[in-house]
Amino acid sequence: MVQRATSGPRPSWWRAPAALFAGGLPAPAFPAPGWWWWAPFCLVPWLLLRTAPTARRAALEGWLGGLGFMLAVHHWLMPSLHVFTLVLAALLGLAWAPWGMLARALLAGPGTAWRAVTAPAGVASGWLVIELVRSWQGLGGPWGLLGASQWQVGPALRLFPVGGVWLVSLLLVAVNTALVVVAASPRARWATLAAGAAVAALATGIAAAAPRPVPADRAARIAVVQPGVVPGAAQRFDRQERLTAGLAGRGAEMVVWGESSVGFDLAARPDLAGRLAALSRRTGAELLVNVDARRRGRPGISKTSVLVGASGPTGPRYDKMRLVPFGEYVPARSLLGWATSVGRAAGEDRHPGTRQVVMETSGGLRTGPLVCFETAFPDLSRRLARAGAGLIVAQSSTSTFQQSWAPAQHASLAAVRAAESGRPVVHATLTGVSAVFDASGRPVGPRLGTDRSTTGLYEVRPASGSTAYVRFGDWAVYAAVAWLAVAGGVVAVRRVRGRGDR
């Protein structure tokens, strides 16, 4: 009997589904499960697939893992986008194909002390570049960044002000990679542990020495109005009006309504503007509302934050700048407009704003507004802090995803933005989860769940000063890109020299 020659080891049938499953394992680290302790280990099964026989196979398994990650972290979009969720996840998952090849190159083969030091840095840098690329608004924005899963962890809250969510993501992936090196390469174990201890000591020292925000001497009393699920713009306005009236005499300085809390142009409805002004006089507080309507003299529909005082709307208005892809506009509508026929994609594009503003109340409270999806973007809250805002207010609505993980995930982002910017963040929603966090990212008072139709009154201390992240921005991302560039250059030079020696 003649045996057929084989060209090499054949991939096992289980590797593809294993990569798909492993890619989804980080999802429980985020709310609602909130298994934050899982984040330092969640990538280990995916990274153990480093034994792919070829670089092409590693790229395939990287893509499948990316597909699994995007589906698991964004599964709550399925009721809105249906099959289009799978299409988007497959496209965005391609960003992990090069990462699969990078992980194979750095982790496959015998372990050495040099690899123990460089592999965690390289794999983590590659992951961070992927997070940066998919954070572009047109690709869905920075939802599900791994570092954001640590929003309630003390050490992470001290690192967010240093390097933002990017630094925490970088360190988490490095820890996952180091665990793989320790498990698979006994010879590199001590070098890996020593490098890890050095990085931990350095991070601790930097966090301790980093500049901190300066809280104000006087606390501001901020009220949040959460009407719950109410059908119809007129009925929602009425309920918010009744809830706000109940705050009279309680000393609130500002009352915050959620995103799309007013469904009519106040200039075209002076009766509603008058009712809001009357509420301001009755409560002794200014109202920050959000108008989701067409405005006179402007094209399309805008989502606009408006501060209303005793005499009516006052100060600069803020138009939401970062719109939700498919939810508030359809990218390349001429090509992707068919998404409106298979899900609840936007039938008409919203009109984006062009600049951020800082609003000031009559009592001198300087507030920087954000609208819903915008709390996912680290740069927006950082700019507001640099512009002099002492408090950041996020007006949101996740009523479409009421029974999913989305409301809790969205509220958790406010804690990350607070710690990064060194500013308290008030996250006010129509239907929950509403929450408030101080300048260090720690919760202030009880949060309002999705089952509540109520108000909440919170005491927060506005802050001034700059964190390291506000001053230096996304330096962790730049460091990751630089590491990859230098490492790529070294490999290229070695290959050229190797060819020359032949």
Side-chain angles (χ1 to χ4, degrees):
M1 182 180 294
V2 178
Q3 294 183 342
R4 295 181 180 179
T6 58
S7 58
R10 299 173 62 185
S12 301
W13 65 268
W14 56 268
R15 294 187 65 95
L20 185 66
F21 175 77
L25 288 177
F30 298 92
W35 297 352
W36 56 267
W37 46 266
W38 175 235
F41 313 97
C42 65
L43 297 178
V44 170
W46 194 358
L47 289 169
L48 286 174
L49 293 172
R50 73 196 192 288
T51 54
T54 64
R56 179 177 298 180
R57 183 72 188 189
L60 172 64
E61 292 173 359
W63 170 64
L64 289 172
L67 170 62
F69 179 86
M70 296 303 295
L71 284 177
V73 174
H74 298 83
H75 70 276
W76 42 270
L77 286 172
M78 289 293 290
S80 295
L81 297 181
H82 302 300
V83 68
F84 201 68
T85 307
L86 180 61
V87 175
L88 288 174
L91 291 174
L92 292 173
L94 289 171
W96 276 271
W99 187 73
M101 299 171 64
L102 177 66
R104 176 182 181 271
L106 293 175
L107 294 173
T112 62
W114 175 246
R115 176 167 293 178
V117 175
T118 57
V123 173
S125 295
W127 180 279
L128 204 63
V129 170
I130 295 170
E131 289 200 339
L132 176 66
V133 170
R134 71 181 183 88
S135 293
W136 179 50
Q137 178 189 349
L139 294 180
W143 193 283
L145 302 185
L146 190 60
S149 67
Q150 305 301 290
W151 65 277
Q152 57 184 328
V153 181
L157 289 175
R158 289 189 285 273
L159 289 173
F160 287 132
V162 176
V165 67
W166 312 108
L167 177 61
V168 178
S169 284
L170 187 75
L171 293 176
L172 284 174
V173 180
V175 169
N176 276 271
T177 309
L179 291 175
V180 173
V181 173
V182 168
S185 305
R187 288 186 299 175
R189 186 168 299 164
W190 291 110
T192 304
L193 294 175
V199 170
L202 179 62
T204 301
I206 291 176
R212 299 175 182 269
V214 181
D217 295 332
R218 183 183 67 87
R221 293 172 67 83
I222 311 296
V224 170
V225 175
Q226 181 176 295
V229 179
V230 183
Q235 294 88 335
R236 181 167 59 247
F237 189 97
D238 292 343
R239 181 175 293 184
Q240 291 170 133
E241 186 178 34
R242 290 194 299 271
L243 290 170
T244 303
L247 294 167
R250 299 184 61 184
E253 183 173 342
M254 176 185 287
V255 178
V256 184
W257 290 13
E259 180 189 23
S260 304
S261 49
V262 178
F264 309 93
D265 180 14
L266 293 178
R269 292 290 304 272
D271 58 320
L272 296 184
R275 288 164 64 179
L276 291 172
L279 276 177
S280 176
R281 293 191 296 269
R282 182 172 180 179
T283 59
E286 280 147 293
L287 278 60
L288 184 63
V289 302
N290 187 265
V291 178
D292 186 1
R294 298 182 187 277
R295 282 163 48 190
R296 289 179 177 176
R298 294 201 57 179
I301 302 173
S302 299
K303 292 193 174 182
T304 306
S305 299
V306 182
L307 189 64
V308 181
S311 301
T314 182
R317 303 184 179 206
Y318 171 65
D319 293 328
K320 184 178 184 180
M321 296 169 57
R322 306 277 171 87
L323 302 177
V324 180
F326 299 98
E328 294 171 332
Y329 78 103
V330 176
R333 185 176 285 273
S334 60
L335 295 176
L336 302 177
W338 60 268
T340 60
S341 63
V342 298
R344 288 179 284 187
E348 178 183 358
D349 292 348
R350 292 297 195 269
H351 186 77
T354 57
R355 65 184 184 92
Q356 292 185 265
V357 303
V358 175
M359 302 175 176
E360 187 168 355
T361 67
S362 57
L365 178 62
R366 292 176 60 80
T367 302
L370 296 173
V371 183
C372 198
F373 178 57
E374 293 182 324
T375 61
F377 293 87
D379 64 306
L380 294 181
S381 53
R382 180 164 60 91
R383 290 176 186 171
L384 288 174
R386 296 180 68 175
L391 170 72
I392 295 173
V393 174
Q395 298 172 289
S396 179
S397 172
T398 51
S399 54
T400 305
F401 312 104
Q402 191 73 351
Q403 306 303 322
S404 72
W405 293 3
Q409 285 188 31
H410 201 178
S412 71
L413 292 176
V416 179
R417 302 289 88 85
E420 288 175 337
S421 64
R423 300 294 185 272
V425 175
V426 176
H427 181 77
T429 71
L430 291 181
T431 59
V433 174
S434 297
V436 178
F437 300 91
D438 66 16
S440 64
R442 300 188 184 278
V444 176
R447 71 178 193 170
L448 308 180
T450 55
D451 59 339
R452 305 286 301 280
S453 175
T454 186
T455 61
L457 187 60
Y458 303 87
E459 289 195 359
V460 297
R461 292 186 178 274
S464 58
S466 296
T467 65
Y469 181 67
V470 168
R471 291 183 185 179
F472 305 113
D474 303 329
W475 63 266
V477 176
Y478 305 144
V481 173
W483 193 99
L484 292 174
V486 171
V490 170
V491 171
V493 169
R494 287 180 176 177
R495 287 183 177 179
V496 171
R497 289 180 176 177
R499 291 174 183 173
D501 293 339
R502 292 177 184 176

